[in-house]
Amino acid sequence: MTLEWEKLFAGRVSGMSASEIRELLKLIDRPEIISFAGGIPDADHFPSAAIARAYEKVFQSNTGAGGALQYTISEGYTPLRDWLCGYMDRKGVKIAPDEVLITSGSQQALDFLGKLLIGPGDLVAVTKPTYLGALQAFSPYEPTYVSIAMDEEGPVLADLEAALARKPKFLYLVPDFQNPNGTTVSPARREAIVDLCTKAGVPVIEDAAYAELRYEGDFLPSLAAIDAARNGGVPSQVIHCGSFSKTMVPALRVGWVSGPKDVIQRLVLMKQAADLHTSTINQIVLHDVVSEIFDSHVKRLRTVYKERRDTMLAALEEFMPAGVTWTKPQGGMFVWIELPEGLCGTELLARAIKESNVAFVPGAAFFPDRSGRNTIRLSFSATKPERIREGIRRLADLLVRVSA
Ligand SMILES: Cc1ncc(COP(=O)(O)O)c(C=O)c1O
């Protein structure tokens, strides 16, 4: 007799299913496909030589690589946490090493924060759209979402106030060049969000995954920095998640979460339970690399990605038919397209792969309420400029055919 596994699975996993989009995107691994789907950094610009040198250094050190290959503390490699304290300090947030936890990518921090804060039925406030991976991290803890509409300055304040009045457990936000829609929260809106959340006693989870990738304009204070400025320089209301995946490489799987000590202490216990610690050798290597080249490497990435963003925006301007609108991100990896009412992003993807050899991600997946049917996300970071122009031309041609 075969076991009926479905009946054994806990109720909380019922919402976790492979999506039809994932099935479609399996088809895009062909060289003729121009993919705007990924949302990943360009591997040609990884700091591979610096990483190789750092690994060699570990193995050639006097003490041998023993320590680097050993278990370590759950909090994370101390010199890396010290480096992060300096980094956060430069951004206006004073944290001590015990107010930061190294995680296996910032994705793990989102999972831990869900585990720490969400009980079944608890309300969680998110923007619509929001980062799909955050919904995937939170949903197994069985929240109910209250979603806040966005305009070009970020979350709409009237919606935020209405959401806060319902006392959500927290607000989750990606303030810089949001995945998926590229929006950056304006300085005034940042202040207002921290104000309103402080008054309502609702914590904010700030996801700063893309904050370093700014291609124009001034860097804006993080919500953590605004919160800290009101609280003698230390965080009180805002839990800040950061990642080295977009600035260095994703494969080392190193991210971090910083915030009030009480929160971090609990998260350390979760880290112990989940995987004991993030890879010792990867943390050592990453520390070596960021100490050496963080600023220069990120500067180079900004030049590379800016050209791609500019190419995509220019091609959209040149080729897109009337009725299609898009965001103009100041940084990050994403442009968000709104198709004419009545068109469906998922149906368009199926045709785009088949007829035009172009791929992207339909927008509905980024809405907890599955609205946003007529939106799509394009990523420009991992595609060379010539291919970006050609891909947008093909997509625009398809849209002309579809709308005819
Ligand atoms: C907004 C956002 N947060 C977090 C992550 C997770 O990144 P990582 O776990 O690689 O640090 C991503 C990855 O795409 C992201 O887009």
Side-chain angles (χ1 to χ4, degrees):
M1 200 179 82
T2 47
L3 204 51
E4 287 191 69
W5 282 104
E6 280 295 329
K7 287 195 178 147
L8 296 174
F9 294 155
R12 66 178 168 275
V13 305
S14 62
M16 296 166 81
S17 56
S19 70
E20 55 179 314
I21 297 163
R22 212 165 269 282
E23 294 307 307
L24 277 174
L25 292 178
K26 277 187 193 157
L27 305 174
I28 68 174
D29 237 1
R30 290 182 271 128
E32 64 273 24
I33 296 263
I34 298 179
S35 176
F36 301 127
I40 54 175
D42 188 341
D44 286 351
H45 294 278
F46 285 157
S48 312
I51 291 174
R53 273 199 308 276
Y55 273 108
E56 269 164 38
K57 222 168 51 186
V58 167
F59 286 99
Q60 285 163 5
S61 71
N62 292 336
T63 52
L69 298 175
Q70 190 52 282
Y71 285 114
T72 186
I73 53 173
S74 300
E75 288 83 346
Y77 181 53
T78 306
L80 181 59
R81 284 186 293 136
D82 289 343
W83 186 91
L84 282 167
C85 291
Y87 172 84
M88 293 296 286
D89 192 23
R90 289 199 296 282
K91 312 245 169 231
V93 186
K94 284 203 189 320
I95 46 165
D98 60 357
E99 289 164 331
V100 58
L101 165 69
I102 307 293
T103 50
S104 297
S106 55
Q107 188 66 27
Q108 188 178 47
L110 298 177
D111 173 43
F112 289 171
L113 287 164
K115 200 185 238 182
L116 180 68
L117 295 168
I118 305 171
D122 281 348
L123 207 59
V124 166
V126 294
T127 53
K128 57 177 179 182
T130 189
Y131 169 49
L132 173 60
L135 296 176
Q136 287 173 324
F138 301 150
S139 291
Y141 302 106
E142 303 179 87
T144 304
Y145 293 107
V146 50
S147 41
I148 301 165
M150 297 185 81
D151 61 22
E152 59 288 348
E153 283 193 62
V156 171
L157 290 182
D159 269 30
L160 175 61
E161 281 183 277
L164 292 175
R166 295 174 60 193
K167 291 275 171 222
K169 273 310 204 35
F170 59 83
L171 164 69
Y172 168 79
L173 198 59
V174 187
D176 307 280
F177 331 118
Q178 180 180 244
N179 179 3
N181 67 355
T183 300
T184 295
V185 180
S186 71
R189 200 67 66 90
R190 287 173 193 241
E191 295 279 347
I193 290 166
V194 176
D195 262 348
L196 290 171
C197 289
T198 305
K199 277 194 201 110
V202 173
V204 183
I205 296 177
E206 171 174 57
D207 184 338
Y210 299 91
E212 288 290 342
L213 298 179
R214 175 172 275 283
Y215 315 134
E216 64 182 52
D218 295 332
F219 281 86
L220 302 178
S222 64
L223 301 180
I226 294 172
D227 174 42
R230 294 168 183 199
N231 198 48
V234 294
S236 139
Q237 197 78 25
V238 177
I239 300 166
H240 181 92
C241 302
S243 173
F244 290 109
S245 295
K246 319 295 174 181
T247 49
M248 293 291 131
V249 288
L252 292 179
R253 304 307 301 135
V254 184
W256 75 92
V257 51
S258 69
K261 201 177 296 177
D262 292 349
V263 174
I264 300 302
Q265 274 170 355
R266 287 289 175 155
L267 294 177
V268 169
L269 298 179
M270 288 183 180
K271 181 72 182 165
Q272 258 164 32
D275 60 356
L276 299 181
H277 61 79
T278 295
S279 154
T280 316
I281 191 166
N282 287 359
Q283 292 186 71
I284 293 173
V285 163
L286 192 90
H287 171 254
D288 197 15
V289 173
V290 293
S291 303
E292 205 187 310
I293 61 156
F294 186 82
D295 288 340
S296 59
H297 184 68
V298 171
K299 200 169 156 203
R300 199 155 67 84
L301 287 182
R302 287 185 198 126
T303 312
V304 171
Y305 293 149
K306 178 183 187 305
E307 187 195 2
R308 296 175 187 197
R309 178 206 60 168
D310 291 347
T311 305
M312 183 171 275
L313 291 178
L316 287 164
E317 200 63 61
E318 185 178 345
F319 297 120
M320 277 295 159
V324 178
T325 59
W326 54 91
T327 54
K328 299 185 177 61
Q330 297 163 2
M333 299 183 170
F334 307 104
V335 172
W336 182 249
I337 309 265
E338 217 169 296
L339 305 169
E341 208 55 61
L343 288 191
C344 167
T346 309
E347 284 165 23
L348 188 72
L349 174 63
R351 286 191 62 175
I353 293 173
K354 208 162 132 217
E355 297 174 32
S356 309
N357 284 331
V358 181
F360 50 80
V361 180
F366 301 96
F367 290 76
D369 58 3
R370 289 296 166 132
S371 55
R373 223 173 144 260
N374 65 324
T375 57
I376 63 175
R377 187 194 76 176
L378 304 181
S379 173
F380 50 79
S381 49
T383 312
K384 306 280 182 273
E386 326 72 78
R387 303 257 294 169
I388 290 177
R389 190 169 184 281
E390 170 59 15
I392 296 295
R393 192 192 60 72
R394 289 186 202 170
L395 184 58
D397 281 355
L398 176 65
L399 276 166
V400 170
R401 288 204 301 281
V402 166
S403 319

